[in-house]
């Protein structure tokens, strides 16, 4: 029988689909397991091998969990709103809905081609009105609770997409999508108050089984800082409030800096003697993004302008100090104003050097001549600091904070780097925001009965040049009546950002066809939380944080039963091109899964993508290694024609099988797929060497079935196992191992030095020479006779004795 993957694979895929082999039931006696992968954006390029890695991995886990006796939910869907589709639609004059439909059809074909055990009855599509009805519903709930609000703020504006970007979508000053420069622009935006959840988003990480680097990245992104707010008096009589994490250094504050956007710049215009210079600097700063102003400028010379005509007073020593504007102080963080302590802050030091400002050391050990000394520990001793002198930094911080509080000029303060989420986009292909503007009533939410608010058909999806959404042209749609007073009103024409639909999709899978709710309470109670979610590290600070926020909000509303959506989070490394470079069209090194499957079959593709290397690390594609995986499957296949002996494990293979079961079971749980496969390869070698019984082979097929399910089912059926067990291999129980049979037999061996018995060692049966010698040399009794000696020869009698021939070192 030939291994004809091209006919075998579609055959089993069809059977699984028709028989709904992998459909999950919302209930039952089995324990539940909900395994989740990030649903794809259905791009025109189709499925990438980068998708195949996490999808195959979770498919292996899901298939194994089913065999372990779990009721498994392993769903798939499409995150289909977004810019690339819209841009493609504009360019090719095809409706985005049509583009989406075609791309989804292609993705579905590809996912089925790879034999994934998704429950195809639960497929969701975020652009389906039946789906986005509930995205809109969640928005309305956020609005009712005061967590969605509209405000005018400077936003990141992509000059090419003509679209507002979230901070996270701006990478190194350019648009993450198209690479065009991003400028700042004032716009009225819907915002979501994720900051209200900042502390909970940090605290609740503790109980989660997330890989450490995900937790760290989320914490850093939220960026909690503890410090104090301190009020300085300006000579105008105004209070300048600063945020500092080092109130202990207050005596060293020799000047102040406020951000160029600070309200006082305009307020003090009349008093400033250098107003022109100040205004020119403000205008220049406005053109830069925060990233350019901070990260990109970190090593560059500091710039700024003194506000001549106004000064401030340091509240601890009464000294008058100058005030500057500089773009290294951001309007959006803390209070947008700082006290500058050049002796102990690197940026302040660079600035002070440039402008010839005094540098006063207040923590002993600060190297004020060469470079600012930013204290890393709490052991420094305060100097030049009045009543703080002699205290450690650790003591000085609470002391000064208490003093400031008593004086009524300061208090302890916690700040977060996290900003509220800019939730509107001036684009067509997104969820309409269900809000109406009435001149009489202001913003009025659409009544829930009117959901979904359908995205209207438009002729042109081009964003307008003034930055309004294309929907703004749709007079018929825009003009409506106020749900509150019945007067004339206008619909919101911005749409939701790409991240909306993915913020709750895992809930919809639990009950995807529900018409009354986003999912029934029973379904939510049964499946929550997601047991294991694998996805890309690049989604850590966006999708993963956003969806945790929405889930917590829904938890507070009583809609979902758990405060966190995902129990466990793991992440995979990237697949690189042959030779280790990033796959890209321009490099011409993109591997198309269709080609691999056509040439070698889906099972080889699956096996290879799991064998490619450590799951968490990046790995380079190797056509040669793909062939190696195909050869392994050929070997498995051909072995089926040489089976000898009946049921049960053969004596010769029994221990190897038990060991392999233990190893493969543990490795799949730990996502060490490559070593699991290596163990199966070794087992096949044993089978070829020792002969293979039907029972031996059956165990191999069961362990191989999550990785190469099509070939396994075909063999399972043709060898009659299906008849004997009454089901497919994927429906069998995962083989169990007997722990006592997995431990290696050990032997005691005599150790001689120069032919005389000097000790004994215990080593695994059949140990090779090097291993025995290494073990022998650990024995102090042996060491006594080998010290200062060279081992010139070793005589090994396997499993009995080792004799070390030595002579003195020269
Ligand atoms: C005085 C000082 C002395 C500071 C010292 C640091 C070291 P994190 O930890 O990131 O929260 N800062 C405050 N608001 C700022 C703004 N809007 N733009 C730029 N810098 C700002 O950083 C807090 C520190 O960053 C604050 O503590 C302040 O400088 C500066 F030896 O105050 B510090
Ligand atoms: Zn009204």
């Amino acid at each position: 029988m030939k291994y004809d993957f091209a006919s075998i694979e579609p055959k089993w895929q069809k059977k699984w689909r028709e028989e709904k082999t992998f459909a999950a039931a919302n209930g039952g006696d089995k324990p539940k397991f909900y395994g989740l992968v990030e649903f794809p954006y259905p791009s025109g390029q189709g499925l990438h091998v980068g998708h195949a890695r996490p999808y195959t991995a979770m498919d292996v886990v899901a298939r194994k969990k089913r065999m372990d006796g779990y009721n498994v939910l392993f769903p798939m869907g499409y995150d289909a709103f977004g810019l690339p589709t819209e841009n493609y639609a504009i360019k090719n004059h095809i409706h985005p809905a049509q583009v989406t439909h075609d791309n989804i059809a292609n993705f579905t074909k590809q996912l089925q081609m790879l034999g994934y055990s998704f429950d195809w009855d639960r497929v969701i599509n975020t652009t389906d009105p039946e789906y986005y009805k509930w995205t809109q519903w969640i928005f309305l709930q956020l609005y009712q609770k005061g967590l969605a609000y509209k405000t005018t703020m400077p936003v990141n504006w992509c000059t090419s997409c003509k679209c507002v970007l979230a901070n996270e979508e701006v990478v190194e000053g350019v648009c993450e999508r198209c690479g065009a420069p991003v400028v700042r622009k004032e716009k009225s935006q819907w915002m979501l108050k994720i900051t209200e959840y900042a502390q909970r988003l940090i605290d609740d990480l503790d109980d989660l089984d997330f890989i450490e680097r995900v937790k760290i990245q989320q914490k850093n992104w939220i960026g909690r800082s503890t410090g104090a707010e301190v009020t300085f008096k300006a000579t105008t009589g105004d209070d300048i409030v600063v945020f500092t994490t080092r109130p202990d250094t207050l005596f060293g504050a020799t000047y102040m800096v406020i951000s160029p956007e600070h309200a006082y710049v305009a307020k003090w215009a009349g008093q400033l003697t250098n107003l022109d210079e100040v205004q020119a600097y403000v205008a220049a700063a406005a053109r830069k993004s925060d990233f350019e102003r901070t990260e990109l400028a970190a090593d560059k010379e500091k710039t700024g302008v003194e506000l001549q005509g106004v000064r401030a007073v340091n509240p601890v020593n009464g000294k008058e100090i100058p005030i500057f504007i500089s773009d290294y102080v951001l309007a959006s963080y803390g209070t947008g104003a700082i006290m500058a302590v050049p002796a102990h802050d690197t940026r302040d030091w660079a600035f002070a050097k440039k402008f010839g400002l005094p540098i006063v050391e207040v923590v002993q050990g600060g190297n004020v001549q060469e470079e600012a000394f930013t204290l890393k520990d709490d052991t420094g001793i305060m100097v030049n600091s009045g009543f703080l002198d002699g205290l450690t930094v650790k003591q000085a911080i609470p002391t000064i904070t208490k003093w400031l509080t008593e004086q009524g000029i300061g208090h302890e303060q916690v700040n977060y780097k996290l900003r509220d989420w800019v939730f509107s986009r001036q684009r067509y292909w997104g969820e309409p925001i269900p809000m109406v503007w009435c001149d009489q009533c202001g913003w009025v939410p659409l009544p829930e009965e009117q959901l979904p608010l359908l995205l209207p058909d438009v002729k042109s999806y081009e964003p307008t040049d003034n930055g309004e959404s294309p929907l703004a042209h749709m007079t018929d749609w825009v003009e409506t009546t106020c749900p509150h007073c019945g007067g004339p009103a206008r619909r919101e024409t911005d749409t939701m950002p790409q991240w909306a639909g993915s913020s709750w999709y895992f809930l919809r899978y639990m009950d995807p066809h529900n018409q009354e709710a986003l999912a029934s309470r029973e379904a939510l109670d049964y499946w929550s939380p997601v047991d294991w979610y694998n996805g890309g590290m690049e989604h850590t600070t966006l999708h993963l944080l956003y969806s945790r926020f929405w889930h917590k909000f829904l938890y507070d509303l009583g809609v979902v039963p758990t405060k966190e959506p995902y129990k466990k989070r793991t992440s995979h490394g990237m697949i690189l091109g042959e030779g280790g470079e990033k796959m890209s069209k321009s490099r011409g090194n993109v591997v198309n899964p269709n080609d691999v499957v056509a040439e070698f079959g889906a099972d080889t593709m699956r096996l290879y993508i799991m064998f490619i290397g450590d799951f968490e690390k990046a790995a380079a594609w190797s056509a040669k290694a793909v062939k190696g995986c195909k050869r392994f499957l050929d070997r498995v296949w051909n072995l089926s024609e040489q089976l000898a002996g009946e049921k049960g494990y053969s004596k010769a293979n029994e221990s190897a099988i038990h060991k392999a079961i233990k190893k493969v079971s543990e490795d799949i749980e730990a996502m060490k797929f490559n070593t699991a496969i290596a163990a199966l390869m070794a087992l096949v070698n044993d089978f070829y060497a020792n002969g293979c019984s039907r029972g031996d082979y059956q165990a191999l097929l069961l362990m191989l079935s999550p990785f190469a399910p099509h070939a396994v089912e075909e063999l399972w059926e043709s060898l009659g196992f299906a008849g004997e067990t009454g089901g497919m291999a994927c429906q069998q129980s995962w083989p169990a191992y007997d722990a006592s049979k997995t431990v290696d037999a050990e032997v005691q061996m005599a150790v001689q030095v120069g032919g005389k018995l000097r000790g004994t060692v215990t080593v695994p049966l059949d140990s090779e020479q090097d291993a025995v010698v290494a073990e022998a040399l650990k024995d102090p009794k042996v060491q006594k006779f080998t010290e200062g000696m060279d081992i010139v020869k070793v005589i090994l009698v396997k499993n009995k004795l080792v004799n070390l021939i030595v002579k003195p070192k020269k």
Side-chain angles (χ1 to χ4, degrees):
M1 194 175 57
K2 193 174 157 274
Y3 173 32
D4 180 14
F5 58 81
S7 67
I8 292 171
E9 291 177 354
K11 168 186 158 184
W12 289 100
Q13 287 158 14
K14 185 157 171 274
K15 185 172 161 81
W16 296 331
R17 253 193 336 273
E18 284 173 3
E19 295 187 0
K20 298 186 187 297
T21 309
F22 306 115
N26 280 9
D29 303 334
K30 295 176 176 178
K32 68 97 183 176
F33 175 81
Y34 184 177
L36 183 67
V37 287
E38 288 167 345
F39 62 164
Y41 176 73
S43 73
Q45 281 85 53
L47 199 78
H48 187 267
V49 287
H51 290 112
R53 194 179 205 189
Y55 294 176
T56 310
M58 194 53 80
D59 190 51
V60 168
V61 171
R63 285 172 175 274
K64 158 130 191 318
K65 288 279 181 190
R66 286 191 199 96
M67 294 173 79
D68 280 337
Y70 286 86
N71 178 26
V72 171
L73 174 55
F74 182 43
M76 183 38 76
Y78 300 99
D79 188 15
F81 274 129
L83 268 185
T85 299
E86 184 164 346
N87 290 340
Y88 182 88
I90 291 170
K91 216 162 136 193
N92 298 284
H93 306 285
I94 311 174
H95 196 284
Q98 186 61 45
V99 178
T100 299
H101 175 270
D102 296 348
N103 289 349
I104 286 182
N106 184 42
F107 263 73
T108 304
K109 231 168 70 196
Q110 290 185 297
L111 291 168
Q112 293 185 340
M113 163 191 91
L114 287 167
Y116 295 136
S117 62
F118 297 127
D119 180 346
W120 291 104
D121 291 339
R122 294 183 189 243
V123 173
I124 57 174
N125 167 355
T126 55
T127 68
D128 179 349
E130 286 299 305
Y131 180 89
Y132 72 65
K133 171 181 179 178
W134 299 106
T135 312
Q136 292 173 331
W137 182 84
I138 296 171
F139 179 88
L140 289 181
Q141 311 311 307
L142 286 159
Y143 179 78
Q144 310 288 11
K145 295 284 180 211
L147 293 168
Y149 63 97
K150 204 161 199 196
T151 188
T152 301
M153 60 169 307
V155 292
N156 305 302
W157 178 259
C158 172
T159 47
S160 164
C161 300
K162 291 175 182 161
C163 173
V164 172
L165 303 178
N167 286 340
E168 303 86 282
E169 294 168 304
V170 184
V171 176
E172 311 206 345
V174 302
C175 172
E176 179 194 53
R177 290 238 162 68
C178 74
V182 174
V183 295
R184 295 160 67 80
K185 191 167 169 158
E186 290 280 331
K187 269 211 127 296
S188 174
Q189 300 289 325
W190 284 103
M191 307 287 293
L192 297 187
K193 255 192 217 165
I194 189 173
T195 50
E196 192 126 310
Y197 284 74
Q199 193 59 47
R200 286 167 66 187
L201 287 167
I202 295 175
D203 293 343
D204 293 345
L205 282 173
D206 288 347
D207 302 328
L208 299 176
D209 181 13
F210 283 15
I211 50 173
E212 205 49 37
R213 57 198 171 120
V214 167
K215 289 191 183 183
I216 291 169
Q217 272 192 27
Q218 288 210 340
K219 280 186 192 158
N220 288 346
W221 186 258
I222 298 167
R224 185 183 203 272
S225 281
T226 318
E229 280 190 359
V230 184
T231 303
F232 286 60
K233 267 274 179 257
T235 49
T236 56
D238 294 296
D239 285 343
I240 311 174
V241 181
V242 303
F243 171 67
T244 175
T245 47
R246 295 293 305 280
D248 56 304
T249 62
L250 192 48
F251 284 87
T254 54
Y255 65 100
M256 298 187 80
V257 185
I258 65 178
S259 72
E261 297 84 359
H262 202 288
Y264 286 170
V265 178
K267 189 173 182 195
W268 294 340
Q271 278 122 297
L272 298 179
T273 57
N274 58 342
L275 186 61
D276 289 350
E277 198 192 351
V278 169
Q279 284 175 341
Y281 188 85
V282 170
R287 285 193 291 271
K288 293 191 201 166
S289 70
D290 282 2
F291 183 80
E292 283 174 273
R293 284 169 54 164
T294 52
E295 257 98 315
L296 280 186
D299 309 323
K300 302 225 177 84
E301 205 168 78
K302 294 278 169 289
T303 60
V305 175
E306 183 178 348
L307 299 180
Q308 283 168 15
V310 182
R311 287 168 79 79
V313 178
N314 185 329
V316 277
N317 54 21
K319 281 190 188 147
E320 256 194 27
I321 56 176
I323 308 169
F324 289 78
I325 52 172
S326 171
D327 62 9
Y328 81 88
V329 174
L330 301 177
S332 54
Y333 187 63
T335 61
I338 66 157
M339 63 178 209
V341 184
H344 303 285
D345 181 281
T346 320
R347 294 162 304 177
D348 297 345
W349 185 84
F351 191 91
K353 277 286 170 195
K354 166 134 183 219
F355 290 88
L357 296 159
I359 297 173
V360 177
E361 186 190 36
V362 289
V363 182
Q364 212 163 42
N367 186 349
V368 292
Q369 264 77 45
E370 290 307 318
E371 219 181 299
F373 178 72
T374 308
L375 275 174
K376 296 242 162 27
D377 59 23
D378 302 322
T379 56
I381 302 294
M382 304 307 300
V383 292
N384 299 325
S385 290
F387 63 90
L388 297 177
D389 279 354
L391 296 181
T392 63
V393 169
K394 203 174 174 170
Q395 294 166 325
I397 291 176
T399 306
I400 185 78
T401 307
K402 182 159 172 269
W403 184 86
L404 289 165
T405 311
E406 283 163 5
Q407 302 292 310
I409 53 170
H411 54 86
E412 201 186 323
Q413 177 71 28
V414 172
N415 264 325
Y416 301 91
K417 296 252 153 48
L418 187 70
R419 300 276 75 109
D420 278 344
W421 175 6
V422 183
F423 201 69
S424 11
R425 296 292 181 277
Q426 291 66 44
R427 300 299 299 222
Y428 171 70
W429 195 230
E431 298 87 346
I433 295 174
M435 299 293 294
V436 165
W437 173 260
C438 168
D439 283 336
Q440 305 308 312
C441 314
W443 283 110
V444 181
L446 221 58
E448 283 176 23
E449 318 79 76
Q450 288 183 31
L451 300 182
L453 170 59
L454 294 177
L455 194 55
D457 253 325
V458 294
K459 293 262 145 30
S460 154
Y461 329 105
E462 300 270 1
T464 59
D465 280 330
N466 62 4
E468 293 303 318
S469 153
L471 290 177
H473 293 314
M474 298 268 315
T475 325
D476 287 355
W477 184 80
V478 174
E479 284 173 6
T480 182
T481 48
C482 170
H484 189 235
C485 71
R490 290 174 55 80
R491 290 190 197 284
E492 170 61 66
T493 58
D494 284 357
T495 52
M496 296 187 195
Q498 166 92 75
W499 313 106
S502 59
S503 291
W504 70 280
Y505 76 113
F506 51 93
L507 298 175
R508 189 64 177 170
Y509 285 139
M510 299 179 188
D511 192 11
H513 310 295
N514 196 310
Q515 308 265 317
E516 268 78 55
L518 54 82
S520 73
R521 185 63 205 213
E522 301 79 71
L524 291 162
D525 282 344
Y526 179 73
W527 288 113
S528 293
V530 171
D531 293 283
W532 189 343
Y533 191 14
N534 184 82
M537 275 312 282
E538 70 276 19
H539 292 136
T540 304
T541 52
L542 308 174
H543 159 65
L544 203 65
L545 206 57
Y546 291 155
S547 55
R548 289 184 60 220
F549 159 46
W550 276 34
H551 196 82
K552 287 191 177 301
F553 170 68
L554 292 172
Y555 175 73
D556 292 348
L557 284 187
V559 173
V560 297
T562 59
K563 61 182 182 173
E564 284 287 334
Y566 323 114
K567 203 148 100 187
K568 173 173 178 169
R569 171 77 176 186
T570 54
S571 200
H572 52 276
M574 251 204 305
I575 301 285
L576 304 170
E578 195 102 27
E581 284 194 84
K582 211 174 157 169
M583 276 191 197
S584 73
K585 263 205 197 124
S586 58
R587 288 197 184 92
N589 62 351
V590 177
V591 176
N592 185 337
N594 291 12
D595 299 339
V596 184
V597 171
E599 194 174 350
F600 301 102
D603 282 334
T604 294
M605 168 78 190
R606 294 170 58 105
L607 197 72
Y608 172 62
I609 204 92
M610 293 291 88
F611 191 55
I612 194 166
D614 282 358
F615 185 68
E616 286 205 37
K617 298 207 181 105
W621 189 265
S622 155
K624 201 168 147 231
V626 176
K627 290 198 183 110
C629 286
K630 172 64 169 41
R631 261 199 309 279
F632 169 64
L633 287 181
D634 287 334
R635 264 167 80 72
V636 171
W637 191 270
N638 296 337
L639 188 60
S640 72
E641 286 162 10
Q642 312 173 17
L643 303 187
E646 270 314 303
K647 289 182 186 154
Y649 302 154
S650 64
K651 262 256 142 348
N653 293 322
E654 187 180 21
S655 162
I657 292 170
H658 283 284
K659 273 190 230 165
I661 297 172
K662 179 169 194 285
K663 173 98 183 127
V664 173
S665 309
E666 289 170 358
D667 282 358
I668 290 177
E669 287 301 321
M671 297 202 129
K672 293 184 188 163
F673 306 105
N674 51 337
T675 52
I677 293 168
L680 292 174
M681 291 175 169
L683 189 65
V684 170
N685 288 342
D686 286 347
F687 287 1
Y688 269 101
N690 302 341
C692 181
S693 75
R694 278 175 69 81
D696 297 343
Y697 197 68
Q698 196 169 16
L700 170 69
L701 290 184
L702 291 176
M703 284 188 275
L704 189 60
S705 76
F707 297 97
H710 312 85
V712 164
E713 294 303 351
E714 187 68 19
L715 288 162
W716 188 262
E717 185 182 61
S718 62
L719 290 170
F721 294 141
E724 288 164 26
T725 59
M728 287 182 270
C730 64
Q731 294 167 320
Q732 306 305 311
S733 293
W734 186 254
Y737 64 87
D738 178 344
S740 70
K741 292 185 173 141
T742 63
V743 281
D744 273 312
E746 291 185 327
V747 283
Q748 278 207 338
M749 291 177 65
V751 183
Q752 299 179 337
V753 181
K756 291 206 178 81
L757 183 68
R758 299 301 185 192
T760 55
V761 283
T762 307
V763 291
L765 189 70
D766 295 332
S767 289
E768 299 294 338
Q769 176 171 307
D770 288 354
V772 178
V773 173
E775 203 52 43
L777 291 175
K778 284 185 197 154
D779 184 343
K781 287 187 303 245
V782 175
Q783 281 167 5
K784 250 171 63 187
F785 298 94
T786 55
E787 230 165 53
M789 300 289 192
D790 277 328
I791 298 173
V792 292
K793 197 175 168 191
V794 177
I795 299 160
L796 182 84
V797 183
K798 244 196 178 163
N799 298 327
K800 291 227 159 61
L801 78 83
V802 63
N803 184 3
L804 309 176
I805 310 298
V806 295
K807 76 171 191 225
K809 278 200 169 103
K810 289 208 184 99

